């Protein structure tokens, strides 16, 4: 058991070290020597867990996806109204980009995946599927207009968020990413909100940067 725990800790340290290297240098310029130095492990220990740089990159992407999924499941289990849950999911992802090096590295590697294999589709497909389900829920709750195509809107939200955080990364190193995500929702909400849902769009978009209310305090859903 002690050896098992030690191996698990070593593997975790390697992934964290690899995330730091991949985030800074990208897949093409990163070396396993840099990773072993960043992780504080020997090359032998690194090769015991990962046979190649490609294996290591895929492990970082998998860990990034695991972190995002865990946070998403936690938010979805709070049973909030659909539209509120969508906004809070974007908030959580934005905070992960600020505070989780593995998430930042995983996102970069998904864009560089063609350098070591086929494009990485899974994380985006999963996120789109969740957003589509929440859009359908928000339509039944009369928060989102019934005319909104749930699948199209889900793809648009994921694409918009991806573009917003990328531009924020280029211009400010993501220092303003939460503000930019809030602006994104501030622009989108007036065009999609149901006519019988009278919540202030600005108040909803401020969920990105404000303290998150408990599910019981979330914006109310009008009766059908």
């Amino acid at each position: 058991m002690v050896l098992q725990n030690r191996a698990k800790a070593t593997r975790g340290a390697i992934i964290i070290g690899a995330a730091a290297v991949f985030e800074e240098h990208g897949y093409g310029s990163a070396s396993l020597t840099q990773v072993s130095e960043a992780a504080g492990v020997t090359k032998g220990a690194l090769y015991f867990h990962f046979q190649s740089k490609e294996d290591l990159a895929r492990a970082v992407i998998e860990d990034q996806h695991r972190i995002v999924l865990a946070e998403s499941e936690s938010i979805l289990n709070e049973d909030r109204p659909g539209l509120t849950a969508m906004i809070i999911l974007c908030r959580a992802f934005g905070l992960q980009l600020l505070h989780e090096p593995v998430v930042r590295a995983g996102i970069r590697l998904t864009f560089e995946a063609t350098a070591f294999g086929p494009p990485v589709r899974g994380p985006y497909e999963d996120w789109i599927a969740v957003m589509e389900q929440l859009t359908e829920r928000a339509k039944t709750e009369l928060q989102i207009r019934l005319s909104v195509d749930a699948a199209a809107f889900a793809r648009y939200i994921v694409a918009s968020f991806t573009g917003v955080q990328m531009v924020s990364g280029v211009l400010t190193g993501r220092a303003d990413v939460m503000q930019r995500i809030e602006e994104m929702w501030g622009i989108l909400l007036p065009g999609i909100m149901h006519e019988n849902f009278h919540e202030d769009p600005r108040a909803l978009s401020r969920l990105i940067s404000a303290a998150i209310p408990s599910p019981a305090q979330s914006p109310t859903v009008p009766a059908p």
Side-chain angles (χ1 to χ4, degrees):
M1 181 64 72
V2 173
L3 289 175
Q4 219 174 27
N5 290 340
R6 188 179 301 166
K8 188 175 180 180
T10 299
R11 188 181 189 279
I14 292 170
I15 289 177
I16 291 172
V21 173
F22 285 134
E23 182 190 1
E24 181 177 358
H25 300 286
Y27 180 83
S29 299
S31 71
L32 293 181
T33 298
Q34 290 171 316
V35 172
S36 65
E37 291 174 352
V41 302
T42 65
K43 277 270 194 78
L46 191 154
Y47 280 111
F48 176 80
H49 291 278
F50 302 100
Q51 295 183 344
S52 66
K53 187 167 72 168
E54 177 183 341
D55 287 345
L56 191 50
R58 294 196 178 281
V60 171
I61 292 173
E62 288 171 6
D63 223 42
Q64 174 256 318
H65 193 33
R66 177 189 59 77
I67 291 170
V68 171
L69 279 180
E71 182 73 11
S72 298
E73 288 174 3
S74 175
I75 292 169
L76 294 174
N77 287 338
E78 292 172 346
D79 196 29
R80 296 178 184 273
L83 183 56
T84 306
M86 294 173 77
I87 296 169
I88 293 176
L89 277 173
C90 288
R91 177 186 191 271
F93 201 177
L95 290 174
Q96 287 174 334
L97 286 167
L98 288 176
H99 303 300
E100 292 279 1
V102 172
V103 172
R104 293 195 297 271
I107 293 297
R108 176 166 184 171
L109 287 169
T110 60
F111 293 125
E112 299 177 351
T114 51
F116 53 89
V120 176
R121 300 166 55 98
Y124 293 97
E125 290 172 341
D126 289 348
W127 193 17
I128 290 168
V130 168
M131 288 302 200
E132 182 175 353
Q133 291 170 7
L134 289 174
T135 301
E136 291 288 8
R137 183 198 297 179
K139 288 170 67 174
T140 64
E141 295 167 337
L142 302 185
Q143 288 190 312
I144 289 180
R145 294 178 186 275
L146 300 182
S147 59
V148 172
D149 183 297
F153 185 63
R155 289 191 298 270
Y156 186 76
I157 281 291
V158 172
S160 297
F161 183 98
T162 301
V164 162
Q165 67 86 15
M166 284 182 66
V167 173
S168 174
V170 170
L171 296 182
T172 70
R174 294 197 181 94
D176 67 348
V177 70
M178 302 306 289
Q179 182 182 350
R180 301 286 87 85
I181 297 169
E182 184 173 327
E183 287 176 350
M184 177 192 82
W185 276 106
I187 292 168
L188 289 174
L189 284 169
I192 64 161
M193 287 173 60
H194 195 280
E195 55 269 22
N196 292 332
F197 184 52
H198 301 299
E199 186 72 23
D200 183 356
R202 292 171 297 179
L204 282 173
S205 65
R206 281 197 295 269
L207 289 174
I208 297 295
S209 57
I212 298 300
S214 68
Q217 297 171 317
S218 293
T220 55
V221 179

